[in-house]
Amino acid sequence: MKKIIRRIVLSAAALFFATAASHALPCVAQYIPDSSGEYVYYEDKSFKNETFVGFLYFNDTTYAARIYSPASAKAKTLEKDITVYVNVDPSKAGFVLTGEKIDGTVEGNADLVNYLHDMLYELSKRRQREVLENGNSLTVGDDFSQFGGPVKIKYNPLIPIFNIEEICGADGKPVLLLQTTGLLSDSSDSSFLDFKGLYGIPKDKKRVFKKDKKSEDVEVKGGVQKITLDTQWQQSMQNLWLLGDYALLSINEMGTPAEITVEKAFDILARRFSNSTTHSYAIRQQSKITREENRVSVMNVFYQPESGNVTRDYKIITKSSSGNFAMLTFTVFDSVYQKSRFYFDTILKSYTVE
């Protein structure tokens, strides 16, 4: 949990509203501007073999597109991994390339390079047709030869780059399915290039946790926030509590900039907190975002390939009577949560904000 603690301490307020500048696709007004280092990955089911395609935003003139397919003994195919870095003219509609660099084995894979070029152009062209004025999703019909003709495209401003959540074919089944979204921490973060899909994830390591029957309930407070824990939880820092090495909980407050509405602030935070962090990938098909009048709750399940850990993370952001945003962060190893759901859900339900 040490890396998780560090991330909470450093990012609780720092990532909030770092999107004042209008970063966007060429000739597209984005409701939530992309941040440098934001990326998205999909599974492209139009391929016979398991294939993932990802897009990374550096700035308004520089993007990366990557296609990855693992080796398959059954299909007798080798691993394929190609990344195209492109420069574009932001004043022109569509992806008008002004330069590019290709990493990976191009010989024999020219079709994959062309595929990446086509996807950049086609997804950008379709996104330019639509207007996303708020945090609501939008589903439109279209025709897309890559996916066999008639499709339905679901746009969601909480998804980076093209704001596409999924594309479904004429039979209603997904042909481009969201895998994960993320935000690189710095120029040395290789999470985008290291992504290899989210299938075959091993179960989280078995960890034995049992509530001590002798433990007593303890109400903890921080400003306008209150939550009921028990004596098994130990305070580690100001507004941070640990349940051994199984779970952590923190409460913080953040100011709200006057130039952003509460509704848009909730959308920005929901998008940021759904992003993967360094070598920890959000399984977006398990993500859940719940909106209420003065609150947004974000639940994500994260997979860390290097350690094999799977963690369940909750963020609850509430507009408080003080005018600030009160934020609860609760993270627990998924195997521990699954075996003690009632215990942890009871803690979360006890959380209140004045």
Side-chain angles (χ1 to χ4, degrees), residues 295-316:
R295 173 176 289 189
V296 62
S297 302
V298 183
M299 190 285 295
N300 285 287
V301 177
F302 291 94
Y303 170 54
Q304 295 90 40
E306 291 181 359
S307 64
N309 290 330
V310 180
T311 55
R312 183 171 293 260
D313 181 84
Y314 293 83
K315 297 286 193 302
I316 302 176

Side-chain angles (χ1 to χ4, degrees), residues 220-222 227 229 233-243 247-251:
V220 299
K221 299 180 180 180
I227 191 166
L229 303 178
W233 290 79
Q234 299 296 317
Q235 187 166 7
S236 175
M237 306 179 192
Q238 184 180 11
N239 297 342
L240 176 67
W241 291 264
L242 301 177
L243 180 64
L248 64 82
L249 183 146
S250 73
I251 50 179

Side-chain angles (χ1 to χ4, degrees), residues 9 13 25 36 48 62 68 116 177 188 202 207 221 223 238 249 259 265 271-272 276 288 304 308 321 330 348-349:
V9 173
L25 290 169
S36 181
K48 291 183 179 179
T62 310
Y68 176 78
L116 291 175
L177 183 64
S188 66
R207 296 176 172 87
K221 299 180 180 180
Q238 184 180 11
L249 183 146
E259 69 273 14
R271 173 161 156 173
R272 293 295 174 265
S276 307
K288 184 178 181 181
Q304 295 90 40
S321 57
F330 172 68
L348 287 171
K349 290 177 182 177

Side-chain angles (χ1 to χ4, degrees), residues 2-269:
K2 291 181 179 179
K3 289 184 178 179
I4 298 173
I5 293 172
R6 183 175 181 272
R7 186 167 71 241
I8 289 172
V9 173
L10 293 179
S11 68
L15 58 74
F16 196 25
F17 311 129
T19 57
S22 182
H23 305 306
L25 290 169
C27 300
V28 174
Q30 288 184 316
Y31 171 66
I32 301 177
D34 294 323
S35 293
S36 181
E38 254 187 311
Y39 66 87
V40 59
Y41 267 102
Y42 303 93
E43 182 184 10
D44 188 334
K45 291 180 173 291
S46 68
F47 287 83
K48 291 183 179 179
N49 297 335
E50 191 175 273
T51 301
F52 306 98
V53 57
F55 305 98
L56 168 65
Y57 170 85
F58 288 105
N59 54 50
D60 288 356
T61 63
T62 310
Y63 294 79
R66 176 174 175 251
I67 185 168
Y68 176 78
S69 180
S72 172
K74 182 178 181 180
K76 298 181 180 180
T77 57
L78 300 175
E79 180 184 57
K80 296 181 180 180
D81 190 349
I82 297 175
T83 303
V84 176
Y85 299 89
V86 299
N87 296 115
V88 300
D89 185 341
S91 67
K92 295 181 180 179
F95 263 69
V96 179
L97 272 60
T98 60
E100 74 173 355
K101 174 188 174 184
I102 302 174
D103 281 350
T105 304
V106 178
E107 185 177 352
N109 293 312
D111 57 330
L112 297 182
V113 175
N114 292 333
Y115 162 82
L116 291 175
H117 288 161
D118 290 344
M119 289 295 279
L120 285 168
Y121 175 75
E122 294 292 341
L123 296 180
S124 176
K125 179 179 69 174
R126 285 165 171 74
R127 175 62 184 86
Q128 288 168 17
R129 299 173 186 166
E130 312 305 331
V131 177
L132 304 179
E133 297 180 321
N134 52 42
N136 298 328
S137 60
L138 172 70
T139 300
V140 298
D142 209 329
D143 190 82
F144 210 134
S145 59
Q146 169 70 24
F147 302 116
V151 297
K152 288 191 179 296
I153 303 176
K154 183 177 181 181
Y155 293 96
N156 185 338
L158 304 190
I159 308 301
I161 321 296
F162 301 107
N163 304 134
I164 293 175
E165 185 168 341
E166 69 176 9
I167 299 179
C168 293
D171 59 1
K173 296 180 180 179
V175 289
L176 193 72
L177 183 64
L178 179 67
Q179 286 277 293
T180 195
T181 62
L183 178 64
L184 302 181
S185 59
D186 53 41
S187 60
S188 66
D189 187 344
S190 61
S191 300
F192 177 76
L193 298 176
D194 292 341
F195 181 77
K196 295 187 176 181
L198 293 173
Y199 294 110
I201 296 175
K203 288 186 178 180
D204 188 34
K205 298 174 184 177
K206 290 184 178 180
R207 296 176 172 87
V208 180
F209 165 76
K210 290 184 179 180
K211 181 183 177 182
D212 186 346
K213 295 181 179 180
K214 295 181 180 179
S215 65
E216 299 178 358
D217 287 349
V218 177
E219 183 179 77
V220 299
K221 299 180 180 180
V224 296
Q225 302 171 83
K226 292 189 296 185
I227 191 166
T228 301
L229 303 178
D230 58 53
T231 49
Q232 286 183 272
W233 290 79
Q234 299 296 317
Q235 187 166 7
S236 175
M237 306 179 192
Q238 184 180 11
N239 297 342
L240 176 67
W241 291 264
L242 301 177
L243 180 64
D245 195 38
Y246 303 112
L248 64 82
L249 183 146
S250 73
I251 50 179
N252 296 279
E253 284 192 53
M254 299 177 288
T256 58
E259 69 273 14
I260 300 178
T261 65
V262 172
E263 291 76 14
K264 186 168 185 177
F266 280 156
D267 290 332
I268 292 173
L269 288 170

